[in-house]
Amino acid sequence: MILYKVVNIYAVFNTQPLKTFVWCTIVGLVTSLVVIWLTKQGQSIVKALLIYAINLIFFNSFMLLVFDFSMIDLAFRTGVDIMAISIGAMITIRYRKLIKQI
């Protein structure tokens, strides 16, 4: 959401803010849950995040074939998405460990 307002990357946020917000929320939730699920399956957090990052990079690379995007815009968006999911997943996993200690 910050990218849409502050950095002004290409999006339909100005014309369809509710749909964009719902999309971002659902994608973030599902992605975080998959990364957390991978860690519960015995994968390290680094390996789980690496799987997510490689998958997102490949997926977004094919988006360039379908849509007329700026490659710099897409690379920036991909990097921020990977960073945001990584931070969120690490916080969640550390929080779960803290709760288990109590």
Side-chain angles (χ1 to χ4, degrees):
M1 300 301 295
I2 293 170
L3 288 177
Y4 299 137
K5 285 299 199 182
V6 177
V7 181
N8 200 25
I9 63 167
Y10 172 77
V12 295
F13 185 77
N14 293 331
T15 57
Q16 299 178 344
L18 181 61
K19 288 180 183 178
T20 305
F21 178 77
V22 170
W23 170 258
C24 290
T25 303
I26 291 171
V27 169
L29 258 167
V30 170
T31 304
S32 296
L33 290 173
V34 168
V35 170
I36 291 169
W37 177 77
L38 284 170
T39 60
K40 285 186 174 185
Q41 300 302 311
Q43 304 293 334
S44 71
I45 183 68
V46 174
K47 188 173 182 180
L49 291 171
L50 190 60
I51 290 169
Y52 163 71
I54 291 170
N55 183 34
L56 186 63
I57 290 168
F58 278 119
F59 175 76
N60 283 347
S61 296
F62 286 107
M63 296 298 281
L64 290 170
L65 299 173
V66 178
F67 298 105
D68 187 21
F69 271 42
S70 162
M71 196 161 81
I72 294 170
D73 179 82
L74 192 60
F76 185 68
R77 182 189 305 235
T78 302
V80 170
D81 286 349
I82 291 169
M83 186 176 58
I85 292 297
S86 299
I87 291 168
M90 287 183 201
I91 289 171
T92 302
I93 289 169
R94 292 192 192 276
Y95 179 74
R96 275 193 298 149
K97 287 180 182 177
L98 182 67
I99 294 297
K100 285 182 182 179
Q101 290 176 354
I102 296 177

